[in-house]
């Protein structure tokens, strides 16, 4: 990992910039081999459509980043509808990864936890919604084409 403020000078494969940006000059991948996944079952498209319908992207200002404007999801909105097999999409993290162990006799301070969103897992929800929409479009097109020829 290289700490940098100039990502295009001597670009490395992975850069953690001082502003908190992670730059990957390659791909971010997850292990996805079938041999690593037991009890494989089809995910219900209707459940993915319900998640999609229930949660809206929002504009907001990040109060931990000096009020920078952003667009994204609110973890609590997703948590309310990502239940059962979808619950892993929302998790918890802390503001920092440093220990809060007592130093010089000062009492240990508990770390504040925050909700997190696994945006890469949301891709599978969107994929399911796209498959559902594709099936519905194909059904409508077949019915329109069938009725035109009659």
């Amino acid at each position: 990992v290289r700490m940098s403020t100039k990502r295009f000078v001597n670009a490395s494969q992975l850069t953690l910039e001082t502003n908190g940006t992670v730059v990957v000059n390659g791909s971010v991948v997850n292990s996805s081999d079938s041999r690593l996944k037991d009890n494989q079952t089809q995910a219900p498209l209707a459940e993915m459509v319900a998640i999609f319908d229930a949660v809206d992207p929002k504009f907001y200002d990040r109060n931990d980043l000096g009020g920078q404007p952003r667009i994204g999801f609110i973890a609590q909105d997703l948590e309310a509808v990502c239940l059962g097999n979808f619950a892993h999409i929302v998790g918890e993290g802390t503001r920092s990864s440093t220990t809060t162990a007592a130093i010089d006799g000062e009492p240990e301070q508990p770390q504040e936890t925050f909700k997190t969103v696994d945006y890469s897992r949301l891709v599978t929800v969107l994929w399911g919604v796209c498959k559902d929409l594709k099936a519905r479009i194909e059904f409508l097109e077949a019915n329109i084409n069938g009725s035109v020829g009659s």
Side-chain angles (χ1 to χ4, degrees), residues 105-118:
E106 293 181 23
E108 182 175 334
Q109 299 295 318
Q111 284 190 327
E112 188 175 6
T113 60
F114 296 91
K115 300 288 181 184
T116 61
V117 174
D118 186 342

Side-chain angles (χ1 to χ4, degrees), residues 84-144:
N85 288 325
F86 297 97
H88 65 280
I89 291 173
V90 177
E92 282 193 352
T94 58
R95 190 179 295 261
S96 68
S97 61
T98 58
T99 182
T100 58
I103 300 173
D104 295 330
E106 293 181 23
E108 182 175 334
Q109 299 295 318
Q111 284 190 327
E112 188 175 6
T113 60
F114 296 91
K115 300 288 181 184
T116 61
V117 174
D118 186 342
Y119 280 81
S120 66
R121 295 286 177 226
L122 284 178
V123 169
T124 59
V125 173
L126 294 176
W127 188 280
V129 171
C130 289
K131 287 183 72 80
D132 179 73
L133 289 173
K134 180 178 181 276
R136 293 168 62 190
I137 290 167
E138 288 172 349
F139 175 80
L140 291 172
E141 287 176 340
N143 286 332
I144 289 172

Side-chain angles (χ1 to χ4, degrees), residues 60-82:
Y60 52 85
D61 297 328
R62 284 289 298 259
N63 58 38
D64 61 333
L65 298 175
Q68 292 181 17
R70 299 274 199 239
I71 186 171
F73 295 105
I74 306 302
Q76 287 84 347
D77 294 350
L78 283 164
E79 184 177 47
V81 295
C82 290

Side-chain angles (χ1 to χ4, degrees), residues 10-30:
N10 299 320
S12 59
Q13 292 300 315
L14 176 67
T15 303
L16 175 59
E17 295 185 342
T18 54
N19 67 359
T21 300
V22 176
V23 179
V24 177
N25 293 314
S27 299
V28 176
V29 298
N30 293 315

